[in-house]
C-alpha cells in the first residue's frame, strides 16, 4: 500500500521570518487535529515543504514534528568548486536535508535545465542517499500538438538514465506546465491518465515491483477544494502544491483533504 505524500513548494517566497511563523502556526494546527496527527505519526501521510535555501535552517529548527520533511528546491550535481550561486549536496546534508526537487518546470523553462543536465543531478543525489522529487510535465503547446506523452516519456527515459535507486527513495511529480500557478487544474481524469502513463513507463524502465511502489504526485493549481478528487485517482499518491502551500492555513486544509 503506497503512502500519501503532500508537498509544498514555496518557490522564491517565505523568507526566514515567514518560515518560522509558518512552522509554528502549522505545528499548532497539526497538534490539534487528531486524525491528521495520527496519519503523520503512523507515516500513512508524509508532509514536506520545500523552502528557499535561506529559509531551510529556520524551517528545520521550527518544524513541528520530527517526521515532517523539509527539502530543497534545487541542488548542483558537483560536490564543490567554482559554481557561483549554487548549493551542493554535501551542504544540504550538513543541514540533514534529505529530499530535493529536481526538474521543476520553472527550472526547465526559465533556467533552461535539460533532461541531460537534470540526469546528472538525479544521479548525484541518489548516489548521496537523497530522495529526489523528479518533476515532469508538458507545456500547453505540447498538449495541444499531441506530443505530451512523448515529452513526458523523454523526460523520464533521459532524465532517469543510469539512475539506480529503490522505489522508496524516489518520487515523481507530474505537473502540467499550463496548470502551474494559472488556476487551471487538469481534471482528475486527465491527471490520472498521465500519472498512469508515468507508472507504465516506469514499469518498462524499472520493472513491475518498482512501478507498483514508487510514489507519483500531481501538481498544478492544487487547492483545498480540489485535493480530494485528485487524490481519489488510483495512480495519484499525493500532491505538489505551490501557491496554496505558502500559508499554513490552506496547506493544512490540503493535508486534511488528502487523507
Ligand atoms: C508548483 O509550483 O509546483 C505548483 C504546482 O504551483 P501551483 O500549485 O501554484 O500551481
Amino acid at each position: 500500500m503506497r503512502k500519501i505524500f503532500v508537498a509544498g513548494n514555496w518557490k522564491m517566497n517565505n523568507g526566514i521570518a515567514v518560515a518560522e511563523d509558518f512552522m509554528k502556526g502549522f505545528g499548532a494546527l497539526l497538534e490539534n487535529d487528531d486524525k491528521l496527527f495520527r496519519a503523520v505519526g503512523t507515516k500513512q501521510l508524509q508532509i514536506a515543504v520545500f523552502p528557499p535555501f535561506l529559509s531551510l535552517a529556520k524551517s528545520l529548527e521550527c518544524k513541528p514534528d520530527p517526521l515532517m520533511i523539509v527539502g530543497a528546491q534545487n541542488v548542483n550535481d558537483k560536490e564543490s568548486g567554482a559554481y557561483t550561486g549554487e548549493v551542493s549536496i554535501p551542504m544540504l546534508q550538513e543541514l540533514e536535508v534529505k529530499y530535493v526537487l529536481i526538474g521543476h518546470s520553472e527550472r526547465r523553462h526559465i533556467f533552461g535545465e535539460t533532461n541531460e543536465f537534470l540526469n546528472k543531478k538525479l544521479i548525484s543525489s541518489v548516489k548521496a542517499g537523497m530522495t529526489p522529487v523528479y518533476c515532469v510535465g508538458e507545456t500547453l503547446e505540447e498538449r495541444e500538438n499531441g506530443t505530451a506523452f512523448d515529452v513526458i516519456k523523454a523526460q523520464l527515459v533521459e532524465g532517469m538514465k543510469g539512475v539506480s535507486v529503490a522505489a522508496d527513495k524516489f518520487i515523481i511529480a507530474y505537473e502540467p506546465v499550463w496548470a502551474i500557478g494559472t488556476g487551471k487544474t487538469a481534471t482528475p481524469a486527465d491527471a490520472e491518465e498521465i500519472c498512469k502513463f508515468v507508472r507504465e513507463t516506469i514499469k518498462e524502465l524499472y520493472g513491475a515491483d518498482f512501478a507498483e511502489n514508487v510514489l507519483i504526485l500531481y501538481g498544478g493549481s492544487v487547492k483545498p477544494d480540489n485535493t480530494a478528487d485528485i487524490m481519489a485517482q488510483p495512480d495519484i499518491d499525493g500532491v505538489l502544491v505551490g501557491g496554496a502551500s505558502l500559508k499554513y492555513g490552506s496547506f493544512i486544509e490540503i493535508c486534511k483533504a488528502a487523507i
Side-chain angles (χ1 to χ4, degrees), residues 226-242:
N226 59 23
T227 301
D229 285 346
I230 293 166
M231 289 300 300
Q233 305 305 310
D235 285 291
I236 299 179
D237 307 309
V239 284
L240 178 54
V241 188

Side-chain angles (χ1 to χ4, degrees), residues 11-122:
K11 311 190 185 191
M12 200 170 69
N13 299 291
N14 291 6
I16 296 170
V18 179
E20 177 172 1
D21 185 59
F22 180 104
M23 286 303 183
K24 289 182 176 163
F26 188 83
L29 294 181
L30 181 63
E31 272 171 31
N32 281 322
D33 191 302
D34 286 349
K35 190 175 170 207
L36 200 56
F37 196 70
R38 220 179 11 259
V40 174
T42 58
K43 293 197 182 173
Q44 177 211 350
L45 167 69
Q46 287 183 295
I47 304 174
V49 290
F50 292 82
F53 287 127
L54 267 183
S55 304
L56 281 175
K58 184 56 83 180
S59 300
L60 284 157
E61 181 193 320
C62 300
K63 75 187 175 85
D65 183 280
L67 294 171
M68 186 164 174
I69 294 163
V70 173
Q73 294 175 16
N74 186 23
V75 76
N76 193 282
D77 65 298
K78 309 283 190 313
E79 285 220 346
S80 62
Y83 302 101
T84 303
E86 291 292 280
V87 168
S88 71
I89 293 167
M91 289 171 186
L92 293 180
Q93 287 179 322
E94 244 184 292
L95 283 179
E96 298 190 8
V97 168
K98 298 190 177 76
Y99 286 69
V100 60
L101 293 182
I102 292 187
H104 188 276
S105 71
E106 286 146 21
R107 299 300 319 170
R108 290 178 185 271
H109 298 289
I110 301 175
F111 300 101
E113 298 191 359
T114 61
N115 291 335
E116 199 186 3
F117 184 62
L118 296 168
N119 177 249
K120 292 185 189 157
K121 297 188 188 211
L122 287 176

Side-chain angles (χ1 to χ4, degrees), residues 7-11 101 104-106 135 175-176 179-184 218-223 240-245:
N9 171 18
W10 290 353
K11 311 190 185 191
L101 293 182
H104 188 276
S105 71
E106 286 146 21
C135 305
E175 299 201 304
I180 295 180
T182 58
K184 289 183 195 151
Y218 167 78
S221 297
V222 172
K223 303 273 178 304
L240 178 54
V241 188
S245 73

Side-chain angles (χ1 to χ4, degrees), residues 177-193:
V177 182
W178 50 271
I180 295 180
T182 58
K184 289 183 195 151
T185 326
T187 65
D190 286 342
E192 168 60 16
E193 187 185 24

Side-chain angles (χ1 to χ4, degrees), residues 134-205:
Y134 180 47
C135 305
V136 299
E138 82 285 7
T139 63
L140 184 59
E141 192 187 350
E142 289 158 350
R143 186 171 189 86
E144 286 176 349
N145 69 20
T147 57
F149 289 96
D150 295 338
V151 167
I152 289 162
K153 187 157 191 166
Q155 289 171 339
L156 293 169
V157 172
E158 293 167 22
M160 295 175 70
K161 190 171 171 196
V163 175
S164 170
V165 67
D168 63 350
K169 299 279 280 176
F170 201 90
I171 297 173
I172 298 168
Y174 165 58
E175 299 201 304
V177 182
W178 50 271
I180 295 180
T182 58
K184 289 183 195 151
T185 326
T187 65
D190 286 342
E192 168 60 16
E193 187 185 24
I194 303 262
C195 289
K196 187 166 186 268
F197 173 74
V198 168
R199 206 176 291 286
E200 281 161 4
T201 306
I202 289 296
K203 186 174 169 187
E204 287 167 20
L205 298 174

